[in-house]
Amino acid sequence: AMPIPHYFAIGHDILSCEQFDVVHAHGLFSGAGLGMSWLAGRLGMPTVLTVHSLAKGPTRMSAQVLANIFLNRVTCVSGVSRAVADDVRDTLGRDDIVVVHNGIDVNEWTPGCGEGPEGRTGRHGPQRRPQEIAAVTRLVAKKNPRALLRTAQRILQRAAAGTRLTIIGSGPERARLDDDI
């Protein structure tokens, strides 16, 4: 659990030494997620928090207390459904909660501003250097890791040479995912 003082030092070292573009944490009750979000905010790093569950009953008060301590510098908060986003909006008192579903229909996405044949333009210019694409997830049908793999394979075909995909997780879909590789 991140809010243990020793782990704050480890988290600070990780965030200070690595060159992350964004920190993405999950859950209102993940000690590691809350702690790293807080540290990233203190270091001025953009931070996204994705919430997967409703905060009901006594957990709502706990979520509010934890949010007041750890989440005041989070750049963006998302919920995995409209119900979760509405609940988080009420719990955190933020109006800027967005919905990002667990499964994304890539047909609804369009190229963004600055994207052209030479690659997407980021804050450091065209991103044609090899990238690391990583996903940490439970490998269960509900999360649709096979769609994740198919999407990543399409991205890798257009990405810079040397770009890699790492999927971290376990679950009953692991064997099917291994078969698809």
Side-chain angles (χ1 to χ4, degrees):
M2 187 64 193
I4 297 172
H6 172 71
Y7 291 130
F8 274 107
I10 293 169
H12 187 274
D13 288 348
I14 291 169
L15 292 176
S16 296
C17 293
E18 300 292 333
Q19 296 181 4
F20 298 113
D21 294 319
V22 67
V23 171
H24 185 190
H26 292 263
L28 288 174
F29 298 102
S30 163
L34 293 172
M36 291 302 272
S37 295
W38 184 82
L39 286 168
R42 290 207 53 207
L43 294 170
M45 301 173 106
T47 308
V48 177
L49 173 71
T50 298
V51 181
H52 297 263
S53 304
L54 302 174
K56 295 291 183 188
T59 61
R60 180 179 294 269
M61 183 182 292
S62 298
Q64 290 169 330
V65 169
L66 291 170
N68 284 331
I69 296 169
F70 292 105
L71 300 178
N72 57 350
R73 292 189 174 117
V74 170
T75 311
C76 177
V77 180
S78 66
V80 298
S81 69
R82 182 151 327 280
V84 170
D86 290 345
D87 184 67
V88 171
R89 191 174 293 111
D90 293 342
T91 302
L92 301 185
R94 287 180 69 145
D95 292 330
D96 60 343
I97 312 301
V98 297
V99 176
V100 179
H101 296 281
N102 282 330
I104 297 172
D105 181 355
V106 294
N107 294 323
E108 292 183 16
W109 287 60
T110 59
C113 178
E115 190 166 333
E118 62 281 340
R120 177 172 227 115
T121 301
R123 68 174 196 237
H124 303 295
Q127 295 180 359
R128 294 309 300 163
R129 58 185 165 84
Q131 300 289 311
E132 177 73 26
I133 301 169
V136 180
T137 184
R138 286 180 296 132
L139 301 178
V140 296
K142 175 182 175 181
K143 301 282 187 177
N144 203 352
R146 296 178 83 199
L148 168 67
L149 181 60
R150 286 190 306 272
T151 301
Q153 288 170 331
R154 288 196 307 264
I155 291 168
L156 290 170
Q157 289 173 352
R158 297 190 309 201
T163 298
R164 319 179 323 165
L165 166 67
T166 303
I167 298 176
I168 302 164
S170 63
E173 292 291 302
R174 176 64 187 248
R176 292 178 74 190
L177 203 60
D178 287 342
D179 290 343
D180 289 346
I181 294 178

